[in-house]
């Protein structure tokens, strides 16, 4: 890992006394051969296991995955809340996004699978791991839960696509009109115009209320679309991902605890998609929030962090793990 950069919480407002806040440590690591950026909160060294009876209990920890065209920065507000609560967590740039190495040619989801598996195995050394993912990160979490060999205590899937999707996602898959228009244009569309359009569209897609959109978060997204060529390249990549979603899930294999979060004001993945996922995984739990948009970690970081902390504490308890281990043994006995 490279030298670590420490970032303090935002300073106080004018007239207020500055208060030292929890730090988000920033570094770079390699997972499955991919160099990426890691945002981390919690102890720098593993906490000693707590004793409960004759068993050592390690605290649960969170791995946070972002969505398509996003980065680990989307989780900064939540990381601050988790740090204040003393909950260890990391957020990583997925391959192809943020500061991570580019995706290789070929199918995308298997590359994300290998990357996520490496992250989980590293974190599991320090305690039970819960993977929470938004959008594409939610898909990656569900696919990780399908792999019984991974050390996974539970999954929180927030607005994962591929079940009952919005008209926009279906349009990307079936009618790549921007790609056709680009090939027909005699001159490229000016970059400033592309960025201006992105600046108007992004807040509407990510937030439940574009009026509360954070300018820095919006800027991160618009930088992904510096010109029309970059925009069409991202759209082509998105179309490939939507095609891969058609065969992305084998939900009968999901045995770990699963919390499905559906958002009523999501303009990319409808709340009906979350309800359908909950139906397909009978042991899952469902939370529907009508006031959240596609990225609730931006809409309501305090509520999301509390939800993640509560879920992590529940699935990390020894009693909960014992039940899952016995169930797994029983399943193998029946299969044999």
């Amino acid at each position: 890992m490279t030298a670590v950069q420490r970032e303090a919480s935002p300073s106080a407002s004018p007239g207020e006394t500055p208060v030292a806040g929890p730090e988000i440590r920033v570094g770079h690591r390699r997972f499955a051969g991919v160099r990426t950026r890691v945002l981390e909160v919690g102890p720098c060294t593993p906490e000693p296991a707590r004793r409960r009876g004759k068993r050592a209990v390690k605290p649960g920890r969170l791995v946070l995955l972002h969505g398509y065209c996003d980065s680990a920065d989307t989780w900064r507000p939540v990381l601050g809340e988790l740090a204040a609560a003393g909950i260890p967590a990391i957020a990583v740039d997925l391959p192809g996004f943020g500061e991570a190495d580019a995706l290789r040619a070929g199918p995308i989801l298997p590359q994300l699978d290998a990357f996520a598996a490496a992250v989980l195995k590293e974190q599991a050394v320090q305690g039970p791991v819960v993977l929470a993912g938004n959008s594409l990160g939610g898909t990656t979490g569900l696919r990780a839960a399908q792999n019984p060999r991974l050390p996974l205590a539970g999954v929180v899937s927030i607005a994962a696509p591929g079940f009952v999707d919005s008209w926009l996602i279906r349009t990307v898959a079936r009618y790549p009109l921007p790609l056709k228009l680009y090939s027909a244009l005699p001159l490229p569309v000016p970059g400033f115009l592309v960025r201006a359009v992105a600046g108007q569209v992004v807040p509407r897609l990510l937030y439940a209320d574009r009026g509360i959109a954070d300018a820095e978060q919006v800027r991160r997204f618009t930088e992904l679309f510096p010109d029309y060529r970059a925009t069409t390249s991202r759209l082509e990549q998105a179309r490939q991902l939507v095609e891969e979603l058609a065969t992305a899930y084998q939900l009968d294999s999901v045995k770990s605890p699963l919390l499905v979060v559906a958002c009523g004001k999501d303009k990319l993945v409808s709340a009906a998609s979350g309800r359908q996922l909950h139906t397909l995984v009978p042991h899952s739990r469902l939370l529907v929030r009508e006031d959240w948009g596609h990225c609730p970690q931006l809409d309501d970081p305090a509520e999301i962090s509390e939800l993640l902390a509560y879920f992590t504490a529940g699935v990390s308890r020894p009693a909960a793990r014992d039940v899952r281990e016995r169930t797994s043994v029983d399943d193998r006995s029946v299969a044999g």
Side-chain angles (χ1 to χ4, degrees):
M1 179 174 144
T2 63
V4 174
Q5 172 188 354
R6 299 178 186 277
E7 297 188 356
S9 294
S11 58
S13 302
E16 295 181 347
T17 303
V19 178
E23 292 180 335
I24 297 176
R25 302 187 299 278
V26 183
H28 292 81
R29 302 179 196 168
R30 284 190 178 274
F31 298 105
V34 176
R35 186 177 187 272
T36 192
R37 184 180 51 141
V38 177
L39 309 184
E40 187 169 14
V41 297
C44 294
T45 56
E47 292 182 335
R50 299 186 295 270
R51 305 295 298 185
R52 181 176 296 178
K54 296 182 179 180
R55 297 190 58 179
V57 181
K58 291 184 178 181
R61 50 199 310 107
L62 278 157
V63 171
L64 307 174
L65 301 183
H66 62 79
Y68 182 71
C69 279
D70 205 342
S71 74
D73 292 307
T74 193
W75 292 106
R76 281 183 181 274
V78 170
L79 286 170
E81 298 280 348
L82 294 172
I87 299 169
I90 69 168
V92 294
D93 290 337
L94 289 172
F97 306 104
E99 296 180 20
D101 288 345
L103 287 159
R104 301 183 301 276
I108 295 171
L109 292 180
Q111 297 181 56
L112 302 185
D113 294 341
F115 178 86
V119 176
L120 291 172
K121 289 174 183 177
E122 181 208 65
Q123 291 296 299
V125 173
Q126 303 182 50
V129 179
V130 168
L131 193 160
N134 171 234
S135 194
L136 177 60
T139 294
T140 305
L142 288 172
R143 287 171 62 88
Q146 293 170 182
N147 184 350
R149 297 183 298 276
L150 291 181
L152 194 56
V155 170
V156 181
S157 181
I158 305 170
F163 300 98
V164 182
D165 291 324
S166 70
W167 66 269
L168 182 58
I169 288 181
R170 293 194 301 270
T171 299
V172 168
R174 299 175 186 173
Y175 309 105
L177 182 59
L179 301 179
K180 296 177 181 177
L181 287 176
Y182 177 74
S183 62
L185 287 174
L187 294 173
V189 176
F192 76 88
L193 181 58
V194 174
R195 292 190 296 273
V197 172
Q200 292 296 314
V201 172
V202 165
R204 289 176 167 83
L205 294 182
L206 301 187
Y207 288 83
D209 177 6
R210 65 185 180 90
I212 67 168
D214 180 85
E216 179 62 22
Q217 296 285 0
V218 173
R219 182 192 63 78
R220 288 194 303 103
F221 279 89
T222 56
E223 285 181 348
L224 293 169
F225 309 103
D227 52 42
Y228 201 74
R229 188 174 298 277
T231 302
T232 53
S233 176
R234 287 292 186 184
L235 285 171
E236 178 59 41
Q237 190 180 58
R239 190 167 70 91
Q240 179 182 339
L241 269 171
V242 172
E243 290 177 353
E244 291 185 34
L245 284 173
T247 56
Y249 303 117
Q250 290 80 46
L251 297 174
D252 290 344
S253 302
V254 175
K255 304 299 181 184
S256 58
L258 171 63
L259 173 61
V260 179
V261 179
C263 307
K265 292 188 176 180
D266 190 338
K267 301 174 185 67
L268 289 173
V269 178
S270 68
S273 185
R275 294 188 177 95
Q276 179 68 6
L277 171 57
H278 172 57
T279 300
L280 294 172
V281 185
H283 72 268
S284 66
R285 286 176 275 175
L286 174 66
L287 171 66
V288 180
R289 283 291 298 261
E290 297 296 342
D291 56 332
W292 285 351
H294 187 63
C295 295
Q297 68 273 15
L298 300 178
D299 283 322
D300 197 348
E303 193 73 19
I304 281 289
S305 62
E306 184 176 345
L307 176 69
L308 295 178
Y310 182 81
F311 181 80
T312 300
V315 301
S316 300
R317 288 195 303 266
R321 297 203 300 275
D322 286 346
V323 169
R324 292 198 299 277
E325 289 167 2
R326 289 198 300 271
T327 301
S328 177
V329 169
D330 292 343
D331 288 345
R332 288 196 299 270
S333 297
V334 171

